[in-house]
Amino acid sequence: MIKNTLKTIALISVAVSSNAELVSMDESNLANISGQGGVYLSGEFSINKEGGPLWEDGTRPYYQLDGNGEPVVDNSISPDQCNNGVCGLRLAIKLNENSEGWYVIDDLSGGMSFEGLTLRTVNIKSAVDYDVWDDNTNDFQIVALDEEVLQIGLPGKVTFNDFKFKYAVANNGEFGVPLADGTAFKQTEIFGVELNGAITLQGNLLLFPVD
Amino acid sequence: MKKLLFPVSAIALAVHVHSVGALEALDDSAMSNVSGQAGITIDLNPGDVSIDALDYTQDGVTARMSDIFINGSEGTSSKITLDVNADGDLLFRDELGARDFSVGGVGMVGSTGNSGDFFSLRGATSAYDPVTDYGLVDLKIGDDGNGNLKLDGSQVGLFFDGLHFGDDGLEWIIDDLAMAAVINYGRLVVGDGSLDFDFGDENNRGLSLVYDAKAIGLSSDPNLAVGDYGDINSAGYLLGDTFGSLRVDLDAYGTLSIAAGGKTGQGITFIPALTLINDSVDRPAFKYTEDGYVILAKNFKGEFSTTSGFMLDFEEDESNNPYLALRYSDFQFAFSLDDLVLGEENGSSLGSFKGQVLFEDDVIAGHTNYLHFYPGGAIGNGVTQQGVTAKIGWNIVSADPLADPDGGDFTTPGSFAGKTAAESNTYFAMNDDGNWVYFNGFNGWGEGTVSLDLTSAPSSTPVDLYENPYVYNPLTGQGSFDDNRGYDRDNKVGTYDGLRIDFVDLKGEYSFSGVTVGTSEEEAMESPYMGGTELLLALEVFPSYSFTLNGNLTIAPGGRIDSDGIGGTQGLTLNGDLRVTEGNAAITVDEYGRGVWLTGVTYDLHMRGASLDVTEDGLTFNKGLTWSTIKVGNYNSSTGEIEGGIIFGAKDDGKNLGAFTLERLEDNTTISVASGGAGEVCIGGFLWASGGGCAVGDTNGNGIYDSGDSDGSVNGSDPTTRYENRGEQGLTIKVKAKFAEAIKPGEAGYATRDTRYDGKGNRFSWTQPNGTTLTLDNFSTSDGPEGGNDYGLNIDLNLDVARTAVKKDITPDDGLNNPVLVDSNDNAITLGDISTQGPLGFAVLGRVHFKQLNIDGLKLSATPDSTPQTLISAITIQNADIQANLTATPIR
């Protein structure tokens, strides 16, 4: 997981390059973001676009426990067939140690492509404090700052390609594995999401530490 | 001819001849062989030669070779011919006889070490071989017509059946070592206080040099007979596992001056301005072979130059310990090579590379370039203490980045006065499908003590071999270092088999300014600095780092991987216990030092059975069983303050994000470097199944994406998809991390656990500046519900340089937001122009994939000292294959 995190940092940080003085930006010059120093990114992120390494053949087996309590594939049950033969990522979280339930994001897959994401480190002189409302200006308070921030210039249009996942609950984190007492694996799918097409993202995202 | 005023009096050669074997009298018949030919021919077999000591003294400090013995009685005679030809050239030819020899010690007189020796030496040379011309000293010395000595046609060739360097009874052995130097063109000019060699130019290359070692290994048997170790491919080979073989084949040209006088007083100064070159398509310049795989470099060129020269002095330190000092206040080394092959000899090339390192003293900052060699290493055997201890310092420079003269917020590589940017920067560059990417603007300095020893491991496995000095407290989820635990630490030395490198307070610092790209060196040197050095993190190299290193690394022959993928007999095996303290490491940083920093870093690392091998996947580093702790910053319980930590902004005054600790336990994690580019990418759609294009989807419903599907990039001004092919050349870095799980008491499988894992784990904890601590406990990889841990967590990176599309509103004053495709000079271009005129970018195909990752829990506590509460009890992630396919282009 940590390697995963470091990797993400490494990829994101490809872009951090030079410093620019940024004053407040209005809508019209947001479009000019790519005309300044920094890095312009185009490409795509994808998750299990062509399947994953655990269920490469597009099926997910069910297991039974052997004499030592170790899971072995139960060939008497037909394996779960993934959509289009492509099995997505499965993320299972158990919140309470004493609970038997797992929250599951299952069969997560798809791609997200974009063109024109910009990244740079800039110094900002002011920021909006969303904790304080200013009655005089009838807006959130603007506070003075003098800080380095990671500025992510959003790409305008992001295209989702067959991006989908299912939200489910299950009695085990590992798919298809019975509990130690032999209770069969159960999973209930609550809803599914499928996303195709483009969404518009405009503006900047500023990342910086706060106390 | 000028007179050479060499202070010979300063160089006292004291030869104490103990006994000389009787010269064999030539009988009458042999005499006839002498007088019957032109010149003089002598068959010489001097018998045994024994010399007590051979001394060389500078400024009252003496280097000594002691107990020299040449065994001539078992060898063959040398045949020496001396003649003067019609041109007046002196011809000296010695066809050497076979000899065994030994030197009891090579060291310095007056050392406080047990022996005062760097090493001992044993060897055996072969007799002259007329086919290879090894075993030959052939000198042709004449006048070039300008009053200089002409050396054209001279050559020296030696073949050692075995050469043993000894250290306290252990030996570093080279089997079948051939060395040859041929002077095709050579002039010796006697200058004013110097000897100046001229070895021609690129079109008239003066020297041909060959170094060829069949095998390099180690032995703990000081009585091992020199020279005949058996068949290297048989199990009975006396050297056992080896490092592999190495051949270097280069021509050289340029000049070399040797001047009298060192940095201070007597000494010698070498001033090389030499180019090493091999542009042959048939002969590799370098070829390292192990277990059938190679590291091979073709079309190599390396240029060395220095203005001040390398100064060799003998000196004594404040404790009157003598040492050999080598200093250079400036030194430039530049190299280029067109084909680097890792893996199979006829495999694909990684592409072309070039690099340059500029050493230059910074006297004001106190960072100078020097090597002080003391006889005697860190480890002795109780009787002798041979080895080498070196106090070293270096300073590598690059010019400061150059700000955009038009006031833009970017910088380009800078230059020193009177030099171009290409001449003023330390860099490493690779060519990819005609485009160059430069890891540019490297600066770094360091100083400290490094010692070399041959050591052996204890005969039985020490009980503390796998001890972890970082002791984890499960009650708080935190840990601390216990300096009395561990195999090799301050107050205990634990040794392994091999060549041990000890680091003592080795302090250093380095940084890169960034990455630049271009279709030529000139373009790359004018291009804006951008990020990209962060990709080196995959190789566990930080873009910027300051550190103090202590500990040891022991290198032994024999890797872990051969052609079958396991258990090779050649390669390098690594064991070590290293600790970095006072570390400041950048995760990402710009040329002004702003970014994300890890400060106050302690990095404690232990490796057992790691290896470096050449495999079919390229160069592979297997971490063996490795456990480590990275502690970034520290929460001070008494003050409630974070000391050091994750700093956002400038290293010294940025904003603190808190401290973190990362513990890792890895078993057979591998990192490999191979060829391969970022390939094809489809932005906004899917690649065709056969490649070569992409489509928005399976529009014709035949189940595959192919040319029958509508591709928005072919027509239309606002394409739905865009296809880019970044080529197949490039660099591939693959990390296969296998996080192991230490089974705790009470857990299933505890009785049959791998006890080497005890006391270690994979954990991450983050303490925010207010003390709140988040702990990710016990993460590990597995191959799925049925167990196993072969697949690991994989990170694949393909690096490439490619042209891409950049959109920009080039008429911002018209009040309209109308970005159009532009080239690097902001001129509008069309979609079809991208492949030829689009701005050059740095392409990265990154992929993270694993079968299963288990995390035992996420815990939260008010401070690192308080009892944590469980936030998430367990996390399981299965079947992950996450890809990021990006092209990063610098923008102005």
Side-chain angles (χ1 to χ4, degrees), chain B residues 164-217:
Chain B
H164 296 210
F165 294 90
D167 176 1
D168 303 327
L170 304 168
E171 291 188 312
W172 173 282
I173 298 171
I174 307 173
D175 183 9
D176 284 354
L177 170 64
M179 294 193 292
V182 177
I183 302 177
N184 308 307
Y185 172 88
R187 297 288 180 274
L188 175 56
V189 182
V190 181
D192 185 10
S194 66
L195 293 173
D196 303 324
F197 290 92
D198 175 2
F199 292 117
D201 54 32
E202 184 162 9
N203 299 317
N204 181 26
R205 298 171 189 176
L207 289 172
S208 297
L209 307 168
V210 170
Y211 174 99
D212 192 345
K214 188 174 78 177
I216 302 166

Side-chain angles (χ1 to χ4, degrees), chain A residues 62-66 69 71-72 74 77 100-102 170-187:
Chain A
Y62 291 93
Y63 296 83
Q64 60 184 336
L65 301 181
D66 67 9
V72 292
D74 184 350
I77 306 175
E100 290 179 350
W102 292 70
N171 66 351
N172 203 346
E174 294 176 301
F175 183 87
V177 178
L179 303 183
D181 63 6
T183 306
F185 174 78
K186 285 179 193 163
Q187 178 162 310

Side-chain angles (χ1 to χ4, degrees), chain B residues 788-812:
Chain B
N789 196 8
D790 285 331
Y791 196 86
L793 187 152
N794 295 267
I795 300 171
D796 304 341
L797 285 177
N798 299 87
L799 311 182
D800 242 322
V801 185
R803 294 190 184 278
T804 190
V806 170
K807 283 184 179 173
K808 184 178 178 182
D809 182 359
I810 54 177
T811 54

